[in-house]
Amino acid sequence: VNTVRVYNPSSNTWRVLNGLTNIFPVNICASQAECIGDNIVVVGGFSSYPSNSVYRGYIPLSGLDSLSWPTDSIAAAPFGTGVYRLGGGKFGNDMVFGPALSATQCINQIWGIDVYNGLWTRFMPNTLDTAARTSVAVKHTSDSLHFYLFGGITRDTSGYHFLNSCEKYSTGNPVIGITGNSNKIPEEFVLHQ
């Protein structure tokens, strides 16, 4: 379906948003959505086949019960194929998506999109095994990113197999800053050939 449901934790109630601007542009399930500020991005999903689409919406801060889905949706996701059952997370201006499943394989990649410039960044190479670990947690420290991937599913000739193992991947913080810069004034300048 293409309805949008909102949960209110203070009243422990659900409601369905009404109106043409509030419905999602397509019928879909098993996609992943993340929010930063008034931006909401939905990646992948399944609707008769895995989707490679990315939709960007806006939630006006003045009316949290209102959505808009402009036609200038972000370009296709960078997985190279349609995906569904994605993991997700966020840090800074980046919404993180992956790993994921496609119709026939595990897509063991993690990508982030900067919500303000629309650029995708590959944060993790293919994971160490062939399991689709579609549950991911992102931990951001001052100098690194850590991805914790939980459980997962594999597929072989005997069928699907669910896992209870975990995997961790760390990488340097993509935002490089200069720290500990000296405030001393140089005593002389020298030019060498």
Side-chain angles (χ1 to χ4, degrees):
V1 296
N2 64 348
T3 55
V4 178
R5 299 169 181 87
V6 179
Y7 175 69
N8 183 338
S10 63
S11 62
N12 192 28
T13 58
W14 284 94
R15 67 189 178 283
V16 175
L17 297 185
N18 296 314
L20 292 177
T21 62
N22 288 329
I23 62 173
F24 194 65
V26 296
N27 294 330
I28 203 160
C29 69
S31 55
Q32 177 66 29
E34 295 294 335
C35 292
I36 292 179
D38 60 353
N39 296 275
I40 182 169
V41 173
V42 181
V43 174
F46 197 90
S47 175
S48 77
Y49 56 88
S51 171
N52 201 31
S53 298
V54 178
Y55 294 92
R56 181 179 186 157
Y58 298 96
I59 308 168
L61 296 178
S62 60
L64 298 177
D65 286 344
S66 176
L67 289 173
S68 64
W69 301 96
T71 56
D72 64 339
S73 290
I74 300 170
F79 294 99
T81 184
V83 291
Y84 65 102
R85 291 188 180 173
L86 296 90
K90 60 187 172 185
F91 75 96
N93 293 338
D94 284 278
M95 298 179 184
V96 178
F97 297 94
L101 294 176
S102 76
T104 59
Q105 61 183 334
C106 304
I107 308 297
N108 293 310
Q109 302 166 8
I110 291 183
W111 291 85
I113 185 167
D114 185 314
V115 70
Y116 297 108
N117 64 23
L119 298 177
W120 287 97
T121 300
R122 178 93 178 256
F123 286 123
M124 190 182 85
N126 288 352
T127 54
L128 300 177
D129 56 25
T130 58
R133 300 185 180 277
T134 58
S135 296
V136 62
V138 181
K139 172 70 174 167
H140 183 216
T141 62
S142 61
D143 63 352
S144 58
L145 284 171
H146 306 277
F147 299 100
Y148 296 88
L149 299 109
F150 300 92
I153 185 171
T154 60
R155 181 182 179 191
D156 59 25
T157 55
S158 64
Y160 291 96
H161 309 280
F162 297 94
L163 308 175
N164 64 353
S165 57
C166 298
E167 192 174 310
K168 178 189 172 206
Y169 178 81
S170 298
T171 184
N173 189 338
V175 180
I176 304 299
I178 298 174
T179 58
N181 201 20
S182 173
N183 59 3
K184 293 182 180 178
I185 298 173
E187 295 178 359
E188 63 178 293
F189 296 93
V190 178
L191 176 63
H192 295 280
Q193 191 166 7

